């Protein structure tokens, strides 16, 4: 899966990780915001890496958690969804606005290639590509980051952007599809 090969999302090992993440997310999303130590403990269990002073507003959602790394001093606002079927790496000093979605899962475009008929039930071909977000990046609300995208350092992504391609360092980018507007 992490190499980008097609995989079975209902594999028993993945389902076990999924259920473990759901339990941690339920605890985290229902925890009093003043219980900082407990919040830290849950996030440290959930993520591959979490730097110091990371703050994640609730509710927060992800698939597995263990494929997510977040650098120090990063703030993730409410209702973000990180589909971490591959690595999601977010640098330090990031600002992730409400309703940002980061996707690593991908499927063939043609239905005949995507859907595998296996008797009474169907399954779907799924592959993954990592997402990397540099240091000092601000991603505006309601933005969607596609599988395989790399966003450089010191970047601002405008609200509502659909980021389908890599974004270089030190730029303002926005739109659908997201494109570089100017150097910063």
């Amino acid at each position: 899966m992490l190499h980008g090969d097609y995989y079975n999302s209902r594999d028993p090992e993945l389902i076990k990780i999924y259920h473990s993440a759901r339990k941690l997310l339920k605890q985290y999303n229902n925890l009093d915001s003043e219980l900082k130590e407990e919040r830290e403990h849950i996030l440290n269990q959930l993520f591959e890496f979490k730097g110091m002073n990371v703050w994640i507003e609730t509710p927060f959602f992800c698939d597995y958690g263990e494929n997510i790394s977040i650098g120090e001093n990063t703030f993730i606002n409410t209702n973000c969804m990180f589909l971490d079927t591959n690595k999601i790496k977010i640098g330090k000093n990031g600002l992730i606005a409400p309703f940002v979605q980061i996707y690593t899962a991908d499927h063939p475009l043609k239905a005949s290639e995507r859907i595998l008929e296996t008797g009474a039930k169907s399954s779907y071909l799924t592959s993954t590509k990592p997402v990397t977000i540099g240091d000092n990046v601000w991603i505006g609300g309601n933005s969607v980051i596609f599988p395989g995208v790399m966003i450089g350092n010191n970047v601002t992504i405008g609200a509502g952007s659909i980021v389908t391609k890599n974004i270089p360092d030190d730029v303002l980018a926005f739109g659908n599809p997201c494109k570089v507007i100017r150097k910063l």
Side-chain angles (χ1 to χ4, degrees), residues 2-167:
L2 295 177
H3 291 111
D5 297 334
Y6 288 115
Y7 70 99
N8 177 2
S9 63
R10 298 295 176 237
D11 178 85
E13 181 182 352
L14 293 177
I15 292 295
K16 183 177 178 184
I17 298 167
Y18 168 88
H19 287 306
S20 176
R22 287 296 166 282
K23 289 174 186 167
L24 291 169
L25 288 167
K26 183 177 181 181
Q27 291 172 21
Y28 187 79
N29 287 329
N30 290 307
L31 196 59
D32 188 299
S33 62
E34 293 177 328
L35 299 174
K36 188 174 183 340
E37 225 174 89
E38 290 88 341
R39 290 167 57 95
E40 291 289 315
H41 179 70
I42 293 169
L43 292 178
N44 285 331
Q45 286 181 283
L46 182 64
F47 295 143
E48 179 176 22
F49 173 80
K50 183 190 72 57
M52 297 293 294
N53 301 314
V54 167
W55 187 272
I56 299 179
E57 288 289 332
T58 59
F60 172 78
F61 307 98
C62 65
D63 272 341
Y64 304 123
E66 68 179 34
N67 294 320
I68 298 171
S69 297
I70 303 173
E72 64 188 36
N73 302 315
T74 291
F75 178 83
I76 298 172
N77 215 321
T78 190
N79 281 305
C80 287
M81 168 62 80
F82 295 1
L83 297 184
D84 64 311
T85 54
N86 204 313
K87 301 292 185 178
I88 295 174
K89 294 180 182 177
I90 300 171
K92 64 183 180 181
N93 304 314
L95 293 173
I96 311 292
F99 293 97
V100 168
Q101 301 165 63
I102 301 175
Y103 301 150
T104 62
D106 201 4
H107 307 281
L109 295 178
K110 289 178 67 177
S112 61
E113 295 171 7
R114 180 176 56 247
I115 301 166
L116 303 173
E117 298 292 337
T118 55
K121 63 180 183 175
S122 296
S123 61
Y124 307 92
L125 280 182
T126 304
S127 63
T128 67
K129 297 175 188 166
V131 170
T132 303
I133 298 170
D135 295 336
N136 314 310
V137 172
W138 174 21
I139 299 178
N142 287 308
S143 292
V144 178
I145 315 298
F146 273 39
V149 165
M150 295 176 65
I151 296 174
N153 297 315
N154 310 308
V155 169
T156 298
I157 302 290
S161 293
I162 308 298
V163 186
T164 61
K165 294 186 170 77
N166 294 347
I167 303 294

